[in-house]
Amino acid sequence: MRDKSRADLVNRRRFLSAASLAGAGIAMTRGASATDTTKPDPLITEVQDWQRYLGDGVDKRPYGSPSKFEKNVIRRDVSWLTASAESSVNFTPLHELDGIITPSGLCFERHHGGVAEIDPAKHRLMINGLVEKPLVFTMDDIKRMPRTNRIYFLECAANSGMEWRGAQLNGCQFTHGMVHNVMYTGVPLKVVLDEAGLRPNAKWLMLEGGDASGMNRSLPVEKGLSDVLLAFAMNGEALRPEQGYPLRAVIPGWEGNLWVKWLRRIEVGDQPWQTREETSKYTDLLADGRSRKHTFIMDAKSVVTSPSPQAPLKYKGRNVLSGFAWSGRGTIQRVDVSLDGGRNWQTARIDGPVLDKSLTRFYVDFDWNGEELMVQSRAIDSTGYVQPTKDELRKVRGVNSIYHNNGIQTWLVHRNGDSENVELG
Amino acid sequence: MTGLSGAWSAERPRVGAAPAEPAAKMGLGREALPEEIAAWDTDVRPDGRGLPVGRGTVKQGDELFQERCASCHGEFGQGAGRWPVLAGGQGTLRADRPDKTIGSFWPDLSTVYDYIRRAMPYGNARSLTDDEAYALVAFLLNLNDIVKDENFELNDKNFASIKLPNAEAFFDDDRETSEKKFWNKDPCMRNCRELPKVTGKAISVDVTPDGKSGPKVD
């Protein structure tokens, strides 16, 4: 035991000095070549703790967590954005993610009355209004219905909303992190509506949450009958409480606010309800003082996640530029990337699944000569829609529409590899 | 271009088309009882559908508001601290910094009643009676100069006749026509613009949380 602790101590000292050396190495060689190859690397020549001592047994973590070395990969909030943490938002760490699936524990949160903690045995879903027979379902009822699995992005209508007037927040987590992409398991809403039987004059649905905000939104019945899901699982397990456990609406391609969490009721009607979340909020004020309403679809959008302000370039030479693209109108057809602020473009390499209304991963493998870069990405979707610049959007909408900012993002990469959020003129 | 169609492509059958026999019932769930529907179905539409029988005056609303609402929304609905402003701002929607309140922005009075009864007071939702909600809505009309008389009574009969100033200023999503030029078959690839100049920087605003430290997650 004493021997082990002494060895621990020695190893820890060695580890610390190796770590500080490595740190200095990065600082010195940043923008230059790789590590010092003239001396043997103690991480190779010396036996490390993890090579000598046993690690934790299988029962240590019945539900696993990320490595302690990944503890900065977390949701973050911007406290000045809202008056209260229970009606607020936090942000997905996009700069730390790869592929297209967002880990459930990192999916951004947006609540209007905090996280409702609901016992699934006490949860009920009611269907009423213009139906042949109003119904009440338990979660067990819902889990006896034919189910389906689909991967979709969920983007908050206000994602990038703080950037309408110019560059404000320094990092794609904050400028673009109100988005996540998971596999949902659930029941098509159509199955449930068929069970109740829609009356011929049914035109609109109202979805209502069971939390303290009683979130309610109107949804056209055609959308409800096409691809809307009532989901009880995400990424293979039950929904997280902050994502609506035990039941949420999934409204593919449409603004996140419609994806009512803790879903308890669907009313069928012949006109929209004009609820608070579709009048006071989630309406888009234009420069002439009028406002668009029912701007449901999230247009094609993309962002380079690396390099970005939270993910600097560390080396000259070979690098991987990476990012996400998505569109509420269909699939991503193409992503173009510019390194000179939109003067010239090259088409990025898309890798991984290209799915309908899902995040899509793109890469540009490039050599960096240490010169300043102005990095942009431009998504093109299956309808031929090309992601506009912010200035093009402002020309149509002004700067006070809060929602639906899908303008092209620019990162200025400095010669030392640091990046920052900028606007170009 | 994507090179990844096949099994992953978007051309799969739509979800809505999946159940083959929509008419066949599964026999799941049970009929909702009238008391249950009444308990949960509290929504109100602009035409007044859903309003409960009831009434409340501006005066009664003022008293209630000072007791239950003013700590966040201010005595006159002007908002305390960073809590929402409920009154004022008329005529500011074209200004550089619009003030979007019930009086200046909201299109329908029904939304005020529905939202207050559903979700307010913040932290103690569903605690107001139907009459209390009428009185509060009447007081908010008064704060916004839409109703001047403090003896005015709002009730389920006169409710739908009251119009808010900004009612006509909303229109349905028109992006597919007003933003038609964003659908572009042939976006520029070479020499697309003048040499770019940096015109704005997030670091000059300096409001980003420190990204290097985070809450303890051990």
Side-chain angles (χ1 to χ4, degrees), chain A residues 217-238:
Chain A
R217 282 284 313 243
S218 305
L219 184 79
V221 77
E222 305 82 55
K223 178 69 173 176
L225 291 172
S226 68
D227 58 359
V228 170
L229 301 179
L230 307 182
F232 48 81
M234 60 193 284
N235 289 337
E237 62 179 353

Side-chain angles (χ1 to χ4, degrees), chain A residues 80 165 195 226 265 267 274, chain B residues 4 16 27 43 82 96 111:
Chain A
W80 56 263
R165 284 172 178 269
E195 197 69 5
S226 68
R265 191 169 72 93
E267 185 171 340
Q274 313 295 1
Chain B
L4 278 162
D43 53 75
R82 300 174 52 213
D96 185 44
T111 313

